[in-house]
Amino acid sequence: GMHMARETTIGLDFMLENPASDMTLTIEAPGISAAANAVITIDVADPAWAAVPAVLVVGGMISIDGTGWDSLDGKAHRITAVSADVSVTIATSTATETGLADLADITVKILAFDHVCLSEFTPNVGAPGEVDATTMCDLERVNLPGLSSPGTASITGMFNLDDEGMLAMLAAQADALPRFLMAETRQGQRGIFHGVVSMFAMGGLAVEGMVTYVGSLTVDRSATYAKAA
């Protein structure tokens, strides 16, 4: 299921997409605005809309395919507003393109994430280290982990043997499916990557039912960033 972000002492929350729990909608003839924050308008008569209100929520994450716009397709976007007349405003990292012909339909996937409590998230040497996401409203410096595309990050964690996060990581390595990976700071900035859990293995320490794990994430698309509204 979907887990909300929990505070951690290091101020970074890590989440792993759970494709089996994603909800995919085909939206017929949507309207999409060309703006820094794109607005998708869905016809209230569209049968797909019946399942939408409960899962399209501000702060939720969706991915979109079929628009033909590089700024939208294949990326994860934070929902920043949902209005009563069934328009959804999403945060895009760049302004959407203009001059698009009428769309027949698009695919919107509402992303579900499992929470994984990592001890460390470390981009390897050669990849960008951190992206400074600090604004004047922040009380302390905010850095998001950065990765090039392709790039690799190493991760470590300590888990109970039946921990949901550990089981999610093991399942992700076993199915080898590309999925969205999300790191969120305590201030609400999100670094969103896409790739595979390329390695996840037991480490050398076991203490009172806890075991250490080490792993790596291989990213196939550059990170996008979204700041809390």
Side-chain angles (χ1 to χ4, degrees):
M2 188 175 291
H3 299 275
M4 297 304 291
R6 294 181 293 200
E7 282 198 355
T8 61
T9 54
I10 59 171
L12 185 70
D13 205 42
F14 184 79
M15 283 156 277
L16 186 75
E17 182 193 357
N18 184 342
S21 297
D22 289 344
M23 178 179 288
T24 302
L25 305 169
T26 299
I27 307 301
E28 302 293 338
I32 300 182
S33 69
N37 289 316
V39 178
I40 299 175
T41 304
I42 303 169
D43 185 342
V44 288
D46 190 323
W49 179 250
V52 167
V55 287
L56 273 185
V57 295
V58 173
M61 301 296 297
I62 62 175
S63 67
I64 302 170
D65 278 295
T67 70
W69 288 352
D70 289 341
S71 57
L72 292 184
D73 286 353
K75 294 181 172 66
H77 308 280
R78 181 200 291 265
I79 298 171
T80 55
V82 179
S83 71
D85 58 352
V86 298
S87 67
V88 178
T89 303
I90 62 172
T92 51
S93 55
T94 58
T96 48
E97 292 85 342
T98 58
L100 184 69
D102 289 340
L103 294 166
D105 58 48
I106 61 171
T107 301
V108 173
K109 185 179 290 183
I110 300 158
L111 303 174
F113 288 91
D114 289 320
H115 180 274
V116 182
C117 195
L118 297 179
S119 302
E120 290 184 18
F121 181 110
T122 311
N124 281 359
V125 175
E130 290 181 328
V131 175
D132 189 347
T134 312
T135 70
M136 297 295 284
C137 298
D138 294 314
L139 299 178
E140 57 190 83
R141 182 168 295 280
V142 176
N143 289 314
L144 286 172
L147 281 175
S148 62
S149 176
T152 304
S154 57
I155 52 176
T156 64
M158 179 172 274
F159 299 98
N160 287 309
L161 290 172
D162 59 352
D163 185 279
E164 277 187 28
M166 191 196 80
L167 297 176
M169 292 294 287
L170 289 171
Q173 182 193 27
D175 66 30
L177 291 174
R179 51 181 22 97
F180 287 103
L181 316 160
M182 184 162 63
E184 182 173 25
T185 68
R186 196 177 302 165
Q187 290 86 353
Q189 289 89 349
R190 292 174 176 175
I192 306 148
F193 313 94
H194 191 271
V196 297
V197 178
S198 45
M199 193 269 281
F200 196 68
M202 188 179 294
L205 178 66
V207 182
E208 295 180 359
M210 301 284 285
V211 293
T212 56
Y213 272 76
V214 294
S216 59
L217 309 170
T218 300
V219 171
D220 60 16
R221 291 182 211 151
S222 297
T224 54
Y225 300 95
K227 175 149 177 120

